[in-house]
Amino acid sequence: MTAESLGVVVLAYGGGDQHAPLVEALLGEDIPPSSVLIVHNPAQRGEPAPQPIGGCQVLQAQRNLGYAGGMNLGIERMRRRRVDLVLLLTHDARLRPGATQMLLEAAVRLPGYGVVAPALVLAGSETPFSFGGFTRATGTNGHVRERPTPTAEGVFDCDWVDGGTMLIRMPVLDRVGGFDERFWGYCEEAEFCLRVRRAGSGVGVVLDAVAEQAPGGAKRPGAWAYLLTRNGTEYARRAVGLRAVFVVTLRTAWLVAFELLRALVRITRLRPGGAAEPLAVAVGTARGSLDYFRGHWGPPPADLPGMGDLHNA
């Protein structure tokens, strides 16, 4: 694997330089700075691009494009460089020593896989977060939480992998296209992997490669609920068919009722805790379902409660 055959896209957000430790770790594993591109989604209008780290290039988006748009921006730049493999990383991902090399070796050894990814643990712990994702018969998604039995090659076949850390063959991207930017954020990696598998390429987790991830849903409960509901309904339709839309919509109605009840018992002090979080989830879930049927795509509405750290979309 030559330096010219790999491109790395690090999706950064906001002005806190949270991506700096990730980039420094990549450079410390002998990935050339010329192979690393930092795509910056600004959190505020007029927010300056971060300073380059160690000679890496920085590509500034004009606004917060979300995961799908930001990664597509980086992928297009890597396509011009004619790389064979592109490693996509979000700013909060932390690849453990050797993980990058294991992913690259798996990609070289196993050309039938279009996408490979590491096993994920929760940041700062050994608690498993994801050994890949699966899609239920209803069209809903879940993470494999227990270490599965790998193939002889050390890879676990799955339906999809988390978008925070994924290595993709550029010919596969050329064949199936990039991420669906209508999704903006959440479920876009599952939808992408669905297209990859339908095109005849495998999706798998290299079990001995490990990365840390910090799920962000708790930071933005309303936006998280909105995007998961809207995008998840469309993903279910594409993965399973129209019957899945009916099932997911029924589940959505139950979830809204449950979160409203959870808020009520907190308001009435029958249970400890504040009501803001369950109310944000209820509103986000309901509006996500409504906007799906209205055909509203892109970023979540700015007036949603529980937007948290999402701005400038």
Side-chain angles (χ1 to χ4, degrees), residues 1-8 29-36 78 81-87 100-101 103-105 107-108 167 169:
M1 180 63 58
T2 64
E4 291 76 15
S5 64
L6 172 68
V8 182
E29 295 207 6
D30 297 326
I31 294 178
S34 59
S35 296
V36 180
M78 290 301 171
R81 296 185 186 179
R82 300 183 183 278
V83 301
D84 299 318
L85 296 166
V86 58
L87 177 61
T100 304
Q101 189 60 37
L103 294 177
L104 294 175
E105 289 173 355
V108 172
L167 181 68
R169 295 184 186 281

mmCIF file of all heavy atoms in Angstrom, residues 1-8 29-36 78 81-87 100-101 103-105 107-108 167 169:
data_model
loop_
_atom_site.group_PDB
_atom_site.id
_atom_site.type_symbol
_atom_site.label_atom_id
_atom_site.label_comp_id
_atom_site.label_asym_id
_atom_site.label_seq_id
_atom_site.Cartn_x
_atom_site.Cartn_y
_atom_site.Cartn_z
ATOM 1 N N MET A 1 0.858 -1.188 0.000
ATOM 2 C CA MET A 1 0.000 0.000 0.000
ATOM 3 C C MET A 1 0.896 1.240 0.000
ATOM 4 O O MET A 1 1.662 1.463 0.932
ATOM 5 C CB MET A 1 -0.900 -0.009 1.222
ATOM 6 C CG MET A 1 -1.829 1.197 1.316
ATOM 7 S SD MET A 1 -2.998 1.264 -0.053
ATOM 8 C CE MET A 1 -3.811 -0.314 0.151
ATOM 9 N N THR A 2 0.837 2.017 -1.068
ATOM 10 C CA THR A 2 1.666 3.208 -1.163
ATOM 11 C C THR A 2 0.930 4.408 -0.613
ATOM 12 O O THR A 2 -0.292 4.416 -0.496
ATOM 13 C CB THR A 2 2.048 3.481 -2.629
ATOM 14 O OG1 THR A 2 0.851 3.777 -3.371
ATOM 15 C CG2 THR A 2 2.738 2.275 -3.251
ATOM 16 N N ALA A 3 1.696 5.459 -0.273
ATOM 17 C CA ALA A 3 1.086 6.675 0.260
ATOM 18 C C ALA A 3 0.120 7.280 -0.740
ATOM 19 O O ALA A 3 -0.907 7.851 -0.371
ATOM 20 C CB ALA A 3 2.179 7.676 0.627
ATOM 21 N N GLU A 4 0.445 7.134 -2.046
ATOM 22 C CA GLU A 4 -0.394 7.754 -3.068
ATOM 23 C C GLU A 4 -1.740 7.051 -3.218
ATOM 24 O O GLU A 4 -2.676 7.606 -3.781
ATOM 25 C CB GLU A 4 0.339 7.747 -4.412
ATOM 26 C CG GLU A 4 1.545 8.670 -4.468
ATOM 27 C CD GLU A 4 2.762 8.110 -3.730
ATOM 28 O OE1 GLU A 4 2.762 6.897 -3.429
ATOM 29 O OE2 GLU A 4 3.679 8.883 -3.435
ATOM 30 N N SER A 5 -1.855 5.811 -2.728
ATOM 31 C CA SER A 5 -3.087 5.054 -2.944
ATOM 32 C C SER A 5 -4.121 5.277 -1.849
ATOM 33 O O SER A 5 -5.240 4.804 -1.956
ATOM 34 C CB SER A 5 -2.765 3.558 -3.041
ATOM 35 O OG SER A 5 -2.242 3.092 -1.815
ATOM 36 N N LEU A 6 -3.760 5.988 -0.766
ATOM 37 C CA LEU A 6 -4.669 6.219 0.356
ATOM 38 C C LEU A 6 -4.944 7.698 0.532
ATOM 39 O O LEU A 6 -4.022 8.517 0.525
ATOM 40 C CB LEU A 6 -4.071 5.662 1.656
ATOM 41 C CG LEU A 6 -4.835 5.998 2.946
ATOM 42 C CD1 LEU A 6 -6.189 5.288 2.962
ATOM 43 C CD2 LEU A 6 -4.018 5.646 4.175
ATOM 44 N N GLY A 7 -6.211 8.014 0.726
ATOM 45 C CA GLY A 7 -6.603 9.360 1.121
ATOM 46 C C GLY A 7 -7.391 9.291 2.413
ATOM 47 O O GLY A 7 -8.180 8.359 2.613
ATOM 48 N N VAL A 8 -7.158 10.227 3.311
ATOM 49 C CA VAL A 8 -7.850 10.272 4.598
ATOM 50 C C VAL A 8 -8.643 11.566 4.682
ATOM 51 O O VAL A 8 -8.082 12.653 4.486
ATOM 52 C CB VAL A 8 -6.868 10.186 5.786
ATOM 53 C CG1 VAL A 8 -7.640 10.184 7.108
ATOM 54 C CG2 VAL A 8 -5.978 8.962 5.672
ATOM 55 N N GLU A 29 1.533 7.618 12.771
ATOM 56 C CA GLU A 29 1.577 6.268 12.217
ATOM 57 C C GLU A 29 2.050 6.291 10.761
ATOM 58 O O GLU A 29 1.723 5.405 9.963
ATOM 59 C CB GLU A 29 0.217 5.592 12.347
ATOM 60 C CG GLU A 29 -0.181 5.356 13.797
ATOM 61 C CD GLU A 29 -1.112 4.176 13.987
ATOM 62 O OE1 GLU A 29 -1.377 3.461 13.001
ATOM 63 O OE2 GLU A 29 -1.561 3.963 15.122
ATOM 64 N N ASP A 30 2.808 7.322 10.442
ATOM 65 C CA ASP A 30 3.502 7.431 9.143
ATOM 66 C C ASP A 30 2.569 7.610 7.959
ATOM 67 O O ASP A 30 2.926 7.265 6.826
ATOM 68 C CB ASP A 30 4.410 6.208 8.907
ATOM 69 C CG ASP A 30 5.521 6.114 9.941
ATOM 70 O OD1 ASP A 30 6.005 7.184 10.369
ATOM 71 O OD2 ASP A 30 5.898 4.994 10.319
ATOM 72 N N ILE A 31 1.382 8.149 8.200
ATOM 73 C CA ILE A 31 0.540 8.558 7.081
ATOM 74 C C ILE A 31 1.005 9.944 6.656
ATOM 75 O O ILE A 31 1.046 10.872 7.478
ATOM 76 C CB ILE A 31 -0.942 8.567 7.469
ATOM 77 C CG1 ILE A 31 -1.403 7.138 7.765
ATOM 78 C CG2 ILE A 31 -1.799 9.183 6.371
ATOM 79 C CD1 ILE A 31 -2.830 7.018 8.199
ATOM 80 N N PRO A 32 1.384 10.140 5.404
ATOM 81 C CA PRO A 32 1.932 11.432 4.989
ATOM 82 C C PRO A 32 0.913 12.553 5.114
ATOM 83 O O PRO A 32 -0.284 12.341 4.862
ATOM 84 C CB PRO A 32 2.308 11.206 3.518
ATOM 85 C CG PRO A 32 2.241 9.748 3.295
ATOM 86 C CD PRO A 32 1.335 9.170 4.312
ATOM 87 N N PRO A 33 1.334 13.747 5.493
ATOM 88 C CA PRO A 33 0.402 14.882 5.575
ATOM 89 C C PRO A 33 -0.330 15.137 4.267
ATOM 90 O O PRO A 33 -1.483 15.572 4.277
ATOM 91 C CB PRO A 33 1.311 16.058 5.954
ATOM 92 C CG PRO A 33 2.500 15.430 6.593
ATOM 93 C CD PRO A 33 2.696 14.112 5.922
ATOM 94 N N SER A 34 0.333 14.841 3.148
ATOM 95 C CA SER A 34 -0.297 15.072 1.845
ATOM 96 C C SER A 34 -1.493 14.157 1.607
ATOM 97 O O SER A 34 -2.311 14.418 0.721
ATOM 98 C CB SER A 34 0.729 14.872 0.724
ATOM 99 O OG SER A 34 1.262 13.554 0.772
ATOM 100 N N SER A 35 -1.610 13.086 2.390
ATOM 101 C CA SER A 35 -2.722 12.149 2.239
ATOM 102 C C SER A 35 -3.917 12.511 3.101
ATOM 103 O O SER A 35 -4.974 11.892 2.987
ATOM 104 C CB SER A 35 -2.265 10.727 2.604
ATOM 105 O OG SER A 35 -1.275 10.266 1.720
ATOM 106 N N VAL A 36 -3.758 13.499 4.002
ATOM 107 C CA VAL A 36 -4.797 13.826 4.972
ATOM 108 C C VAL A 36 -5.461 15.156 4.608
ATOM 109 O O VAL A 36 -4.785 16.169 4.438
ATOM 110 C CB VAL A 36 -4.224 13.902 6.403
ATOM 111 C CG1 VAL A 36 -5.332 14.238 7.403
ATOM 112 C CG2 VAL A 36 -3.553 12.588 6.783
ATOM 113 N N MET A 78 -10.581 13.762 -2.956
ATOM 114 C CA MET A 78 -9.751 12.571 -3.049
ATOM 115 C C MET A 78 -9.888 11.892 -4.410
ATOM 116 O O MET A 78 -8.942 11.289 -4.914
ATOM 117 C CB MET A 78 -10.125 11.584 -1.935
ATOM 118 C CG MET A 78 -9.723 12.063 -0.551
ATOM 119 S SD MET A 78 -7.924 12.358 -0.454
ATOM 120 C CE MET A 78 -7.816 13.151 1.155
ATOM 121 N N ARG A 81 -7.457 13.240 -6.691
ATOM 122 C CA ARG A 81 -6.098 12.761 -6.422
ATOM 123 C C ARG A 81 -5.888 11.339 -6.921
ATOM 124 O O ARG A 81 -4.777 10.811 -6.858
ATOM 125 C CB ARG A 81 -5.817 12.806 -4.913
ATOM 126 C CG ARG A 81 -5.823 14.204 -4.320
ATOM 127 C CD ARG A 81 -5.416 14.138 -2.858
ATOM 128 N NE ARG A 81 -5.542 15.423 -2.197
ATOM 129 C CZ ARG A 81 -5.275 15.636 -0.909
ATOM 130 N NH1 ARG A 81 -4.850 14.626 -0.156
ATOM 131 N NH2 ARG A 81 -5.420 16.826 -0.380
ATOM 132 N N ARG A 82 -6.967 10.686 -7.356
ATOM 133 C CA ARG A 82 -6.908 9.330 -7.906
ATOM 134 C C ARG A 82 -6.409 8.309 -6.880
ATOM 135 O O ARG A 82 -5.595 7.436 -7.192
ATOM 136 C CB ARG A 82 -6.040 9.293 -9.170
ATOM 137 C CG ARG A 82 -6.546 10.205 -10.279
ATOM 138 C CD ARG A 82 -5.712 10.075 -11.537
ATOM 139 N NE ARG A 82 -6.150 10.993 -12.564
ATOM 140 C CZ ARG A 82 -7.178 10.776 -13.388
ATOM 141 N NH1 ARG A 82 -7.858 9.655 -13.297
ATOM 142 N NH2 ARG A 82 -7.509 11.665 -14.299
ATOM 143 N N VAL A 83 -6.900 8.428 -5.646
ATOM 144 C CA VAL A 83 -6.545 7.433 -4.629
ATOM 145 C C VAL A 83 -7.366 6.176 -4.838
ATOM 146 O O VAL A 83 -8.430 6.197 -5.459
ATOM 147 C CB VAL A 83 -6.758 7.993 -3.210
ATOM 148 C CG1 VAL A 83 -5.921 9.233 -2.977
ATOM 149 C CG2 VAL A 83 -8.234 8.276 -2.951
ATOM 150 N N ASP A 84 -6.863 5.065 -4.317
ATOM 151 C CA ASP A 84 -7.577 3.788 -4.422
ATOM 152 C C ASP A 84 -8.495 3.548 -3.227
ATOM 153 O O ASP A 84 -9.525 2.880 -3.356
ATOM 154 C CB ASP A 84 -6.569 2.634 -4.512
ATOM 155 C CG ASP A 84 -5.681 2.747 -5.736
ATOM 156 O OD1 ASP A 84 -6.204 3.083 -6.816
ATOM 157 O OD2 ASP A 84 -4.469 2.507 -5.609
ATOM 158 N N LEU A 85 -8.086 4.047 -2.056
ATOM 159 C CA LEU A 85 -8.836 3.856 -0.826
ATOM 160 C C LEU A 85 -8.998 5.192 -0.130
ATOM 161 O O LEU A 85 -8.080 6.027 -0.143
ATOM 162 C CB LEU A 85 -8.102 2.897 0.124
ATOM 163 C CG LEU A 85 -7.898 1.458 -0.334
ATOM 164 C CD1 LEU A 85 -6.868 0.772 0.553
ATOM 165 C CD2 LEU A 85 -9.215 0.687 -0.309
ATOM 166 N N VAL A 86 -10.169 5.393 0.490
ATOM 167 C CA VAL A 86 -10.376 6.620 1.250
ATOM 168 C C VAL A 86 -10.876 6.235 2.648
ATOM 169 O O VAL A 86 -11.829 5.469 2.795
ATOM 170 C CB VAL A 86 -11.358 7.584 0.533
ATOM 171 C CG1 VAL A 86 -12.705 6.943 0.276
ATOM 172 C CG2 VAL A 86 -11.512 8.871 1.321
ATOM 173 N N LEU A 87 -10.168 6.741 3.650
ATOM 174 C CA LEU A 87 -10.506 6.496 5.046
ATOM 175 C C LEU A 87 -11.270 7.703 5.564
ATOM 176 O O LEU A 87 -10.744 8.817 5.581
ATOM 177 C CB LEU A 87 -9.232 6.272 5.864
ATOM 178 C CG LEU A 87 -9.394 6.066 7.377
ATOM 179 C CD1 LEU A 87 -10.230 4.823 7.680
ATOM 180 C CD2 LEU A 87 -8.021 5.967 8.049
ATOM 181 N N THR A 100 -5.247 1.507 11.901
ATOM 182 C CA THR A 100 -5.229 1.958 10.504
ATOM 183 C C THR A 100 -4.531 0.943 9.614
ATOM 184 O O THR A 100 -5.021 0.596 8.531
ATOM 185 C CB THR A 100 -4.535 3.325 10.392
ATOM 186 O OG1 THR A 100 -5.193 4.262 11.257
ATOM 187 C CG2 THR A 100 -4.579 3.845 8.966
ATOM 188 N N GLN A 101 -3.382 0.454 10.068
ATOM 189 C CA GLN A 101 -2.639 -0.522 9.274
ATOM 190 C C GLN A 101 -3.424 -1.809 9.103
ATOM 191 O O GLN A 101 -3.420 -2.423 8.025
ATOM 192 C CB GLN A 101 -1.290 -0.808 9.937
ATOM 193 C CG GLN A 101 -0.350 -1.646 9.087
ATOM 194 C CD GLN A 101 -0.013 -0.995 7.749
ATOM 195 O OE1 GLN A 101 0.138 0.226 7.669
ATOM 196 N NE2 GLN A 101 0.093 -1.798 6.699
ATOM 197 N N LEU A 103 -6.669 -2.101 8.964
ATOM 198 C CA LEU A 103 -7.712 -1.845 7.973
ATOM 199 C C LEU A 103 -7.134 -1.882 6.561
ATOM 200 O O LEU A 103 -7.727 -2.467 5.640
ATOM 201 C CB LEU A 103 -8.377 -0.494 8.234
ATOM 202 C CG LEU A 103 -9.190 -0.354 9.519
ATOM 203 C CD1 LEU A 103 -9.708 1.078 9.655
ATOM 204 C CD2 LEU A 103 -10.360 -1.333 9.547
ATOM 205 N N LEU A 104 -5.976 -1.257 6.379
ATOM 206 C CA LEU A 104 -5.351 -1.232 5.063
ATOM 207 C C LEU A 104 -4.956 -2.631 4.620
ATOM 208 O O LEU A 104 -5.152 -3.017 3.455
ATOM 209 C CB LEU A 104 -4.131 -0.316 5.079
ATOM 210 C CG LEU A 104 -4.412 1.167 5.300
ATOM 211 C CD1 LEU A 104 -3.107 1.943 5.415
ATOM 212 C CD2 LEU A 104 -5.261 1.738 4.188
ATOM 213 N N GLU A 105 -4.405 -3.412 5.539
ATOM 214 C CA GLU A 105 -4.009 -4.783 5.199
ATOM 215 C C GLU A 105 -5.225 -5.618 4.820
ATOM 216 O O GLU A 105 -5.164 -6.421 3.876
ATOM 217 C CB GLU A 105 -3.268 -5.409 6.380
ATOM 218 C CG GLU A 105 -1.884 -4.814 6.609
ATOM 219 C CD GLU A 105 -1.235 -5.319 7.889
ATOM 220 O OE1 GLU A 105 -1.914 -6.071 8.639
ATOM 221 O OE2 GLU A 105 -0.071 -4.965 8.145
ATOM 222 N N ALA A 107 -7.982 -4.492 3.509
ATOM 223 C CA ALA A 107 -8.461 -4.035 2.203
ATOM 224 C C ALA A 107 -7.631 -4.629 1.073
ATOM 225 O O ALA A 107 -8.165 -5.002 0.018
ATOM 226 C CB ALA A 107 -8.423 -2.512 2.148
ATOM 227 N N VAL A 108 -6.327 -4.745 1.285
ATOM 228 C CA VAL A 108 -5.450 -5.328 0.264
ATOM 229 C C VAL A 108 -5.681 -6.828 0.148
ATOM 230 O O VAL A 108 -5.737 -7.388 -0.949
ATOM 231 C CB VAL A 108 -3.974 -5.028 0.609
ATOM 232 C CG1 VAL A 108 -3.039 -5.795 -0.316
ATOM 233 C CG2 VAL A 108 -3.699 -3.534 0.527
ATOM 234 N N LEU A 167 -13.343 2.646 5.959
ATOM 235 C CA LEU A 167 -12.407 2.637 4.838
ATOM 236 C C LEU A 167 -13.144 2.113 3.612
ATOM 237 O O LEU A 167 -13.705 1.007 3.638
ATOM 238 C CB LEU A 167 -11.201 1.753 5.161
ATOM 239 C CG LEU A 167 -10.118 1.648 4.087
ATOM 240 C CD1 LEU A 167 -9.389 2.983 3.923
ATOM 241 C CD2 LEU A 167 -9.117 0.541 4.425
ATOM 242 N N ARG A 169 -13.326 1.585 -0.757
ATOM 243 C CA ARG A 169 -12.629 1.533 -2.047
ATOM 244 C C ARG A 169 -13.192 2.615 -2.961
ATOM 245 O O ARG A 169 -14.413 2.728 -3.131
ATOM 246 C CB ARG A 169 -12.818 0.165 -2.711
ATOM 247 C CG ARG A 169 -12.194 -0.973 -1.953
ATOM 248 C CD ARG A 169 -12.316 -2.287 -2.705
ATOM 249 N NE ARG A 169 -11.823 -3.367 -1.870
ATOM 250 C CZ ARG A 169 -10.534 -3.664 -1.688
ATOM 251 N NH1 ARG A 169 -9.609 -2.969 -2.334
ATOM 252 N NH2 ARG A 169 -10.186 -4.650 -0.902
#
